[in-house]
Each structure stands twice: as C-alpha cells, then as structure tokens.
Amino acid sequence: MAGRDRVVHLLRQLEKAACSCPAHSHKFYRASGHYCGRKTDYAFEMASSNIRYGEGVTQEIGMDLQNMGARNVCLMTDKNLSQLPPVKAVLESLVKNRVNYKVYDDVRVEPTDSSFKDAIAFAKKESFDAYVAVGGGSVMDTCKAANLYANHPEADFLDFVNAPIGKGKPVTGALNPLIAVPTTAGTGSETTGVAIFDYEKLKAKTGIASRAIKPTLGIVDPLHTLHMPERVAANSGFDVLCHALESYTALPYNMRSPCPPNPINRPAYQGSNPISDVWSRHALNIVAKYMKRAVNDAEDVEARSSMHLASVFAGIGFGNAGVHLCHGMSYPIAGNVKTYMAKGYNVDHPVVPHGLSVVLTSPAVFAFTASMCPERHLEAAEILGAHVKNTKMADAGLLLADTLRQFLSDLKVDDGLSAIGYTKNDIPDLVRGTIPQERVTKLSPREHTEEDLTHLFEASLKLY
C-alpha cells in the first residue's frame, strides 16, 4: 500500500507543477481512450539517435565502423571543413583502424535539391555499406538524404519529401548505418530524422522527415566547436534557442490532427509532450547560462562544450515535438536571399545562415503565440533573465519578445529583415514561401492566417 500511496503522491506533485494554460494543461496530456474514431492523436513516440559525448571521442569512430563490419564507407563533409582538424581526426581514426573509405567534400552550405541530388548520385555510384557525416546541419542532412536514396534507387526524389511540396511517402526500406560528427553547436541534426534543403523551384526550404533516416550514432566531441568563428557560433546558438522555445510552446501532441491510421504515418514532429518538454527546457537553461560566453570567447571550452550539449538536448526535444512559426517563416527568408553575405562563412554565394533566418522573427512570433500558453512564454522569459514577479499573464508575450530583443542586441544581431536585404515589397513572397511549410506551421499553438503572417514579417523588418 505504501508503494501505491507514493505513486499517487508523485502524480499529484506532477499535476501541481504542470502548466495550467489551456494549450498545455495536464488534462490535455491525458490520453482519452483508444484512437479509433479520434480526430486528434492520442500518443507520441520518443525517438533519438544514440549519442556519445566526450573530449576526443572522435578517435573511436574507426573502431565503431570496424565493429559494424563496414567495408566501404562514404565520408561526407564540405570543402572548408575538409582542411580542418575535425575531418583530419576522423580520417586518422579510419586509417588507423584500416577502414576503407571514399570522401565526398562537395556538400553545399545551406543545401538545395540540386546539391542533394549530386550527393545522392555519388552515393549511388558506389556500394557503400556505412556513412559518416562530419560537419554542421548541411553536411548531416545531405548525408541522410544520400543514405536514403542510395537504398531506395527506384524512388523519385519527391517521393520522400514533405507534403505538400513532395509526396511525403513513409520510408519502409532499411538504410545503412550513419555516424554523425557535428562540428557546430546548433542544428541538433545528429539526433533527428530530418533533412532540410532549399527547393529551388519555389525558393523555399522543405525537407524529408522520417525516423528511419536519423543517424545510428552521434559522436559529439566538444573539441570540434572550438574552430567555429564568432558569427557561426552565434547563428548556431540561435538555432538551439529557437528549437527549445518552439518545441516547448508547440501545440500539444494530443491536439494535433489527424490521428494516424497506422504508426508508420505518425510524423516525426508530433507536438509538445511531457518528455520533449524536459529536454527543451533544459536546453533553454544552458543557452541562457552559456551562449554569450561561447560566442564572445572561442577558447571558453566550458561554454562551447555546454552549447554543444545544449544542441543535442534541444535536438532530442524538437526532433520529437517539432518546431513552429519561427522555423516555418525562416525557410523563405533563407530561400529568397538576394545579396546578403554572412560574416564568418567561407562560401561563394549569398546566404542567410539558418539560425539567423530563424531568430529574426522570434520576438514577433512569441508575442503572437503567447495568448495560447502564457505560462510557458513567461517561464521562458524568466529562464532568459527577465523579472516576471509582477507580470500579468496577458503580458507574457510582450515580455518574452522584449527579452529576446535584448538577447539579440547583446549578441550584435542584424537589425531585422531589412538589415539582410528585405523590404516591405518582399513580404508577399515571404508569406507565399511560408504557406507550404505546414509540417511545422500547423504546430503553432495559435492558428494563423496569411494576414497574420504578413503582420509578423512586417514586425520583423526592424528589431530594435
């Protein structure tokens, strides 16, 4: 009886601690019966890659591949990284452990459907039985796509791309092992079954989302983050920040529709849930404590190591809960870039780094979504350093927006969309590019119209 009383006591404590706002209250997290006949989902699934963390852990990768019995390995990276210590450390381990490999170093920073197809063609030419991705999100996502299509040679490229741009077919065939070695502290791609690219025809980002494409193992070696330039560290960190904020405030999993007719149809991005909440909140705390230090001092090993872990934690959170409006709106911001050349990125084409494209709309977005779950917005503002003692729930969004503006100002972020080349005349195109991003925008806790999106983009033209 004592054991039962303890369980009841713990459940009551959890209920007291739970958010009581309409979108996230405990009653909405309680499944109500079997799925038959339900319009919204009744369950969520927790999935993540295996993660190995530690300074110098990259040296083990050759042994891992040997243990897997890999005979012909594809190592993917980009031209810049191919000359840097992280790739050299991986190659040393492969050579030491007599692992056969071929290198593909033509990954495009901010990949497109064309660059994905080029990597896929390379993978199809060889009989690779394992893949290694060394780099940021662009490299890891490209490698996921190469592994997927090399193992589905009959598939059309759009078969697995998210609807409505692609057909969004479920992945049913087996893939080869993929080991991801992240060199930035931002995307969390080493934990997720998501691969993002620019679809050139629409000038908007889309992607592939399936648990089947997540890496087998993420090798998280904090020593690799010491090579990030200041702006790369900042923009990578902004991605972590928004992953945590968006997944924590996303529509709850059992308010998301439709309810899948088969578990294979349950999306990778399912809505916020009690497990993802833990990872997202913890990642936000680390960002608040360490991000400014990590950006301002490349030799601050503690701060950069902590942000590397925060990226993993946020990746586990958003990789299951999903993101919403900041990410949905970021895709056309990146896809419609004109002349903006980001500092710290060694590329030969205009680029708005992913983390920057995401964070520029964050003050406007969270001011907009707060009415649906004000307690969570208020908690996020407090974690980021705001004083919330006398704040009314109705002001939660405005407080979080102001807190984010100050955070961005402290880190010398460009003053809104106008500072990266956009004007009011571009907003219709940005709205049009956001509309197909239903995979993420439908997870917004607050429903929105095209007019709402227009106002959010307008509010993001200037931040300060």
Side-chain angles (χ1 to χ4, degrees), residues 52-263:
R52 184 182 302 150
Y53 175 88
E55 289 187 15
V57 75
T58 306
Q59 66 187 341
E60 297 183 355
I61 197 167
M63 289 181 275
D64 288 314
L65 291 162
Q66 203 175 62
N67 294 340
M68 291 174 183
R71 297 180 181 278
N72 191 23
V73 174
C74 176
L75 188 153
M76 291 200 167
T77 189
D78 63 45
K79 280 282 193 286
N80 187 45
L81 272 166
S82 65
Q83 307 302 316
L84 295 177
V87 170
K88 290 180 180 177
V90 171
L91 292 177
E92 283 174 10
S93 183
L94 299 189
V95 170
K96 182 180 178 181
N97 290 279
R98 298 178 184 176
V99 175
N100 249 356
Y101 67 89
K102 285 187 175 66
V103 175
Y104 177 86
D105 62 3
D106 282 330
V107 171
R108 188 182 195 272
V109 176
E110 302 297 332
T112 64
D113 51 320
S114 297
S115 72
F116 263 22
K117 288 173 184 174
D118 189 69
I120 291 164
F122 178 85
K124 283 181 173 179
K125 273 190 257 177
E126 310 283 346
S127 297
F128 293 122
D129 55 8
Y131 291 80
V132 175
V134 187
S138 297
V139 172
M140 290 184 277
D141 289 3
T142 299
C143 199
K144 290 175 189 176
N147 188 14
L148 171 63
Y149 288 96
N151 282 281
H152 293 79
E154 75 294 340
D156 179 73
F157 181 72
L158 289 177
D159 280 355
F160 301 121
V161 173
N162 300 322
I165 291 173
K167 297 175 185 175
K169 289 184 178 180
V171 178
T172 54
L175 273 65
N176 294 118
L178 191 164
I179 299 178
V181 186
T183 58
T184 60
T187 67
S189 187
E190 67 277 5
T191 70
T192 73
V194 178
I196 301 296
F197 64 93
D198 281 314
Y199 189 55
E200 294 163 296
K201 187 176 177 181
L202 294 181
K203 291 188 176 180
K205 283 186 186 281
T206 182
I208 302 159
S210 169
R211 292 178 192 86
I213 69 171
K214 65 182 172 59
T216 313
L217 173 65
I219 298 280
V220 182
D221 188 336
L223 295 179
H224 296 333
T225 65
L226 303 180
H227 305 285
M228 282 192 296
E230 177 194 326
R231 283 298 94 192
V232 176
N235 292 326
S236 300
F238 293 139
D239 203 17
V240 181
L241 170 67
C242 288
H243 284 158
L245 286 172
E246 289 174 71
S247 55
Y248 191 54
T249 58
L251 189 75
Y253 74 94
N254 54 1
M255 293 176 71
R256 179 190 52 74
S257 61
C259 183
N262 185 304

Side-chain angles (χ1 to χ4, degrees), residues 231-402:
R231 283 298 94 192
V232 176
N235 292 326
S236 300
F238 293 139
D239 203 17
V240 181
L241 170 67
C242 288
H243 284 158
L245 286 172
E246 289 174 71
S247 55
Y248 191 54
T249 58
L251 189 75
Y253 74 94
N254 54 1
M255 293 176 71
R256 179 190 52 74
S257 61
C259 183
N262 185 304
I264 200 170
N265 300 117
R266 181 166 285 116
Y269 287 180
Q270 305 158 90
S272 61
N273 59 75
I275 298 179
S276 68
D277 286 349
V278 173
W279 294 99
S280 302
R281 192 189 297 113
H282 188 49
L284 192 60
N285 275 286
I286 298 174
V287 168
K289 184 175 181 179
Y290 289 108
M291 183 171 165
K292 291 178 186 177
R293 280 174 51 184
V295 171
N296 294 328
D297 183 2
E299 295 182 5
D300 188 334
V301 177
E302 181 189 16
R304 290 221 165 177
S305 299
S306 296
M307 284 300 297
H308 212 23
L309 268 181
S311 176
V312 173
F313 296 156
I316 297 171
F318 93 86
N320 291 279
V323 286
H324 55 82
L325 287 177
C326 292
H327 271 75
M329 294 168 68
S330 79
Y331 298 145
I333 292 171
N336 286 274
V337 61
K338 300 171 185 175
T339 59
Y340 185 77
M341 301 291 286
K343 295 175 184 174
Y345 292 79
N346 187 18
V347 293
D348 59 1
H349 54 273
V351 61
V352 180
H354 175 62
L356 180 61
S357 70
V358 170
V359 84
L360 288 177
T361 62
S362 62
V365 163
F366 292 109
F368 173 78
T369 57
S371 60
M372 295 309 297
C373 43
E375 291 187 16
R376 291 195 171 213
H377 287 67
L378 202 61
E379 182 184 1
E382 185 174 26
I383 290 171
L384 292 172
H387 298 289
V388 302
K389 188 175 180 182
N390 297 314
T391 304
K392 298 176 182 176
M393 285 295 162
D395 296 327
L398 294 175
L399 180 62
L400 179 54
D402 287 342

